[in-house]
């Protein structure tokens, strides 16, 4: 029998995934489950043929170039791969894989939670309970907005965007989107395509960001973009924090140009601009879009499938991004 593949696993995975790793691989891993500085991971990557990482491991050019020659594949347990320098990986002939599809529904669920939390002022309402400040029921107290009477504008109608749209339709929302190219009718499902971002912004009472972080989309929601939204719009971001210009968003939240924001992702997370913590109209969560038991098992298993297919199978990854 041939020896199991040797891999580096950067984080602790859900138990069923760990059981499979222990059975089918020889695993090198750092001590403790936390993001480890790159040099620490590098020290244990020696002799490994594959790596299983997540969004908490930033693999920039220098990190990729320093990898031992034995590494053939990097499997990230995430749909996003902006934490990996793909050009550097390609230059070294490395296969990079991700975990699309399996987290679509969980992330779309959480996007609706962000929207509802922002629209119904959940942060302020919860503080009334937590701080024992709840007075009496009031005809004018804690008024949010009806999402069913608002138009949703989705930037990036891909898998997750389409799943968000399905849910939003059930709330009675009228769906608009902007992609560079019009989506096929099955995906569009009655949504209105805008061929420019500006066109989308003009009708987005609720702007939902579902785009990947790329050089083209980083900082795309800046002061100019925000000024094109209808007055009192709601911003929802479950994609990547660096899609927005924080200064502009915070200013719009303070001035009331934005009614509220529901945010699961932040530039430079887990650190975030402290004003997001303080503003009453920010419903913020700590990057938990895919954080359900079932989904995280599925993501871990798919990342392992990708490693196995390259290292023990026919050499073809299931979800290549390079
Ligand atoms: C992803 O998969 O890219 C998410 O951001 C992590 O759940």
């Amino acid at each position: 029998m041939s020896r199991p593949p040797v891999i580096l696993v950067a984080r602790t995975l859900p138990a069923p995934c760990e059981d499979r790793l222990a059975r089918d691989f020889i695993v090198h891993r750092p001590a403790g489950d936390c993001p480890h500085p790159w040099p620490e991971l590098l020290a244990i990557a020696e002799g490994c043929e594959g790596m299983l990482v997540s969004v908490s491991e930033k693999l920039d050019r220098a990190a990729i170039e320093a990898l031992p020659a034995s590494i053939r594949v990097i499997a990230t347990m995430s749909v996003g791969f902006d934490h990996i320098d793909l050009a550097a990986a390609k230059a070294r002939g490395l296969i990079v894989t991700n975990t699309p599809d399996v987290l679509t529904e969980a992330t779309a669920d959480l996007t609706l939670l962000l929207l509802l939390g922002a629209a119904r002022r959940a942060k302020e309402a919860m503080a009334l309970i937590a701080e024992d400040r709840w007075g009496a029921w009031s005809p004018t107290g804690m008024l949010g907005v009806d999402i069913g009477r608002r138009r949703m504008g989705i930037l990036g109608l891909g898998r997750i965007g389409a799943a968000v749209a399905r849910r939003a339709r059930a709330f009675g929302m009228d769906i608009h989107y902007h992609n560079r190219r019009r989506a096929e009718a099955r995906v569009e499902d009655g949504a209105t395509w805008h061929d420019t971002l500006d066109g989308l912004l003009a009708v987005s009472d609720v702007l939902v960001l579902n785009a990947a972080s790329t050089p083209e989309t980083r900082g795309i929601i800046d002061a100019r973009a925000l000024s094109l939204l209808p007055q009192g719009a709601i911003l929802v971001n479950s994609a990547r924090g660096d899609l927005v210009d924080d200064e502009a968003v915070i200013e719009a939240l303070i001035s009331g140009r934005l009614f509220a924001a529901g945010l699961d992702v932040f530039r430079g997370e887990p650190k975030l601009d402290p004003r997001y913590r303080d503003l009453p109209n920010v419903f913020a969560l700590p990057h938990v879009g895919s954080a359900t038991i079932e989904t995280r098992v599925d993501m871990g298993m798919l990342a392992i499938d990708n490693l196995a297919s390259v290292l023990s199978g026919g050499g073809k990854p299931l979800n290549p991004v390079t």
Side-chain angles (χ1 to χ4, degrees), residues 55 78-80 103 240 287 290 296 299:
V55 292
S78 60
V79 67
L103 46 60
R240 285 293 181 265
H287 201 152
S290 63
R296 285 289 166 82
M299 290 166 72

Side-chain angles (χ1 to χ4, degrees), residues 145-185:
V145 297
D146 282 335
I147 62 167
R149 301 190 206 205
R150 300 285 190 285
R151 296 161 296 182
M152 174 178 278
I154 299 178
L155 175 59
L157 192 76
R159 285 174 284 241
I160 296 173
V164 170
R166 271 202 307 281
R167 287 157 173 74
R169 267 187 214 103
F171 282 88
M173 300 186 81
D174 188 19
I175 312 297
H176 297 250
Y177 74 99
H178 168 63
N179 285 2
R180 261 179 309 187
R181 253 166 284 137
R182 187 168 177 175
E184 53 186 276

Side-chain angles (χ1 to χ4, degrees), residues 8-66:
L8 185 159
V9 178
R11 302 296 304 271
T12 301
L13 270 54
C17 305
E18 287 292 344
D19 291 348
R20 182 172 167 203
L21 286 172
R23 197 186 62 223
D24 297 344
F25 296 85
I26 296 170
V27 174
H28 292 197
R29 61 166 78 245
D33 180 32
C34 56
H36 288 266
W38 180 243
E40 253 179 62
L41 293 179
L42 198 54
I44 57 169
E46 211 45 58
C48 292
E49 302 157 85
M51 303 194 341
L52 201 164
V53 301
S54 70
V55 292
S56 59
E57 284 70 53
K58 310 283 173 228
L59 300 185
D60 60 12
R61 175 167 289 277
I64 300 263
E65 284 175 352

